[in-house]
Amino acid sequence: AQKVTQAQTEISVVEKEDVTLDCVYETRDTTYYLFWYKQPPSGELVFLIRRNSFDEQNEISGRYSWNFQKSTSSFNFTITASQVVDSAVYFCALSEARETSGSRLTFGEGTQLTVNP
Amino acid sequence: DTGVSQDPRHKITKRGQNVTFRCDPISEHNRLYWYRQTLGQGPEFLTYFQNEAQLEKSRLLSDRFSAERPKGSFSTLEIQRTEQGDSAMYLCASRKDGYYEQYFGPGTRLTVT
């Protein structure tokens, strides 16, 4: 069975601070995908990134960066110089990587990030 | 591309009534998913379609729930004899073959009174 744990329920920072959201996962699959989604107050889940299990390169996109460490089963997300618009619930998710199956997403419980001005 | 759309956005119903939700996926996406999200939780998988075939159903999907995707285009999710525990956000997502990221619609928020 797959499981995703986001231990931080809520994080509050002041604008321009850096913040890291933690994600730890469990899976028996050798090939899988990891994702981060953002859910702003409007409610719609917005896809941010997909990472393949066989690619441990870290990724940077603007103020966002992701650190994937297979050895510790972690896929952490860092926002540099946070802004008020970053306030949202962030979800980490996991799926198997077999086209013959559905590859449903298994989500963590989310981390509510509040960035104060 | 237009995104995934869902209708209605909000639905208030009385316990025991039937409700139906609609999802229109992104046009070239042949895979469609339904999830349910309750307050303070992450979305939970309900069911999955590849084209018009419903290939996977969660244990969460009781007998009162049924989903269809005629002709592999839009999908409907029906809940019969609604209960207060059915109150949640129902999310639809789609993706295309070879791409594992799913794109979500705005959701339908169901309140059962």
Side-chain angles (χ1 to χ4, degrees), chain B residues 50-104:
Chain B
Q50 182 174 343
N51 300 310
E52 65 276 7
Q54 187 175 18
L55 297 184
E56 201 173 346
K57 289 194 284 188
S58 162
R59 291 168 298 157
L60 294 175
L61 214 64
S62 77
D63 298 351
R64 299 183 296 104
F65 287 69
S66 62
E68 294 182 341
R69 193 182 181 199
K71 301 178 184 176
S73 55
F74 70 92
S75 175
T76 58
L77 178 68
E78 181 183 15
I79 309 175
Q80 295 183 326
R81 304 181 305 281
T82 52
E83 302 172 355
Q84 285 191 320
D86 297 331
S87 295
M89 176 78 89
Y90 290 83
L91 296 165
C92 176
S94 69
R95 72 172 179 95
K96 58 183 178 180
D97 284 342
Y99 295 83
Y100 286 84
E101 56 272 21
Q102 295 178 22
Y103 292 89
F104 283 80

Side-chain angles (χ1 to χ4, degrees), chain A residues 33 35 37 39 42-45 47 50 91 95-105 107-110, chain B residues 9 31 33 35 37 40-43 45 48 56-57 91 95-106:
Chain A
Y33 290 99
F35 306 83
Y37 283 85
Q39 189 172 43
S42 60
E44 188 161 342
L45 279 160
F47 166 71
R50 180 197 70 189
F91 290 98
S95 80
E96 58 193 2
R98 279 174 272 153
E99 271 299 38
T100 52
S101 71
S103 296
R104 64 170 76 178
L105 292 172
F107 285 87
E109 295 195 349
Chain B
R9 296 291 305 277
R31 301 189 187 227
Y33 302 77
Y35 292 84
Q37 185 179 22
Q41 302 293 316
F45 170 79
Y48 153 69
E56 201 173 346
K57 289 194 284 188
L91 296 165
R95 72 172 179 95
K96 58 183 178 180
D97 284 342
Y99 295 83
Y100 286 84
E101 56 272 21
Q102 295 178 22
Y103 292 89
F104 283 80

Side-chain angles (χ1 to χ4, degrees), chain A residues 8-19 21 38-39 41 79 82-90 111-117:
Chain A
Q8 304 149 310
T9 306
E10 295 182 28
I11 299 177
S12 182
V13 299
V14 176
E15 210 169 14
K16 298 184 184 174
E17 280 186 30
D18 298 347
V19 58
L21 310 181
K38 175 182 180 179
Q39 189 172 43
I79 302 175
S82 59
Q83 299 176 0
V84 172
V85 293
D86 295 328
S87 297
V89 181
Y90 290 87
T111 297
Q112 170 73 60
L113 173 65
T114 302
V115 181
N116 299 298

Side-chain angles (χ1 to χ4, degrees), chain A residues 38-110:
Chain A
K38 175 182 180 179
Q39 189 172 43
S42 60
E44 188 161 342
L45 279 160
V46 177
F47 166 71
L48 295 178
I49 189 173
R50 180 197 70 189
R51 172 59 65 207
N52 307 338
S53 58
F54 47 85
D55 179 4
E56 288 195 65
Q57 272 193 326
N58 291 330
E59 182 153 344
I60 298 174
S61 175
R63 296 184 298 107
Y64 295 171
S65 62
W66 292 270
N67 183 333
F68 174 36
Q69 291 197 343
K70 213 167 178 177
S71 60
T72 56
S73 297
S74 66
F75 185 44
N76 297 336
F77 173 27
T78 297
I79 302 175
T80 303
S82 59
Q83 299 176 0
V84 172
V85 293
D86 295 328
S87 297
V89 181
Y90 290 87
F91 290 98
C92 181
L94 168 69
S95 80
E96 58 193 2
R98 279 174 272 153
E99 271 299 38
T100 52
S101 71
S103 296
R104 64 170 76 178
L105 292 172
T106 299
F107 285 87
E109 295 195 349

